Amino acid sequence: MTASPVHGTHVPQLRPRSQERPPAPLEALVRHFGDLRDGTHAGHSTRQGKESAFRQAVDLLDAPARQVLEEVDRHLLLGTGTVQATGPQQDPNGGIYAAWRLTWPRQRGTGIVPITLTAHYGAGFHHPHLRGATVGEWPLNVFDQDQAAELVPVLRAIAAADLHNLVFQRDWRIVPALHEGTQSADARKEN
């Protein structure tokens, strides 16, 4: 692992194991699992420091979250939606969260939840997470190579979320990249 400065702190990063840079979701997982291993988040070990890092992350996520929800509104809801952001809020259980919601008349009329992107740092959590309101399944409607290639970011997100949940079921030790001295597949091929 190498360290990278983040506002005076250090966060774990994936050590280069080949010339190819890993996709961003995989680098994020390594930082996340490194936090579990090291008992920190963004270089902080106290709840106060971790909440400060969470608030900074919420600020950084605001524009991308709004962009994604505005794209859904423009292309699928035909401009009928409204994006609302909470900013950091205390939850009733002592945690902190921020949510970006996309509501629209037909959704409100049926009483279902809005499309929601939530950043949360629960009172008993080691570090923050992201979630949606209902996400668990993704539609598979692929009929040509271009459509398949367009799903790469979705497939990465699903694989990264699965690995995250598997680590949650056990611990970070199931991820070889977090063990010092572990060779990459490229290095093993060269030997």
Side-chain angles (χ1 to χ4, degrees), residues 10-132:
H10 287 80
V11 293
Q13 291 187 326
L14 189 59
R15 178 186 308 145
R17 298 189 186 276
S18 71
Q19 298 295 16
E20 180 184 356
R21 180 182 172 138
L26 300 183
E27 285 185 317
L29 273 179
V30 169
R31 288 191 305 272
H32 186 75
F33 298 152
D35 286 349
L36 289 173
R37 180 195 60 212
D38 301 340
T40 62
H41 175 63
H44 299 281
S45 58
T46 66
R47 177 74 190 196
Q48 181 181 10
K50 292 176 184 182
E51 282 193 12
S52 175
F54 174 82
R55 289 175 188 280
Q56 179 182 359
V58 167
D59 287 344
L60 293 169
L61 277 175
D62 188 63
R66 288 175 187 272
Q67 174 188 331
V68 166
L69 295 177
E70 288 165 358
E71 290 169 356
V72 171
D73 179 41
R74 182 173 57 255
H75 295 289
L76 299 176
L77 306 181
L78 305 177
T80 63
T82 302
V83 174
Q84 302 163 327
T86 66
Q89 303 285 313
Q90 289 299 130
D91 74 27
N93 299 316
I96 188 170
Y97 74 94
W100 296 265
R101 296 182 182 99
L102 174 57
T103 65
W104 66 103
R106 290 187 180 184
Q107 167 264 323
R108 289 187 299 270
T110 62
I112 58 175
V113 298
I115 297 170
T116 306
L117 303 171
T118 302
H120 64 105
Y121 180 22
F125 283 45
H126 176 68
H127 46 234
H129 291 85
L130 290 169
R131 68 173 178 232

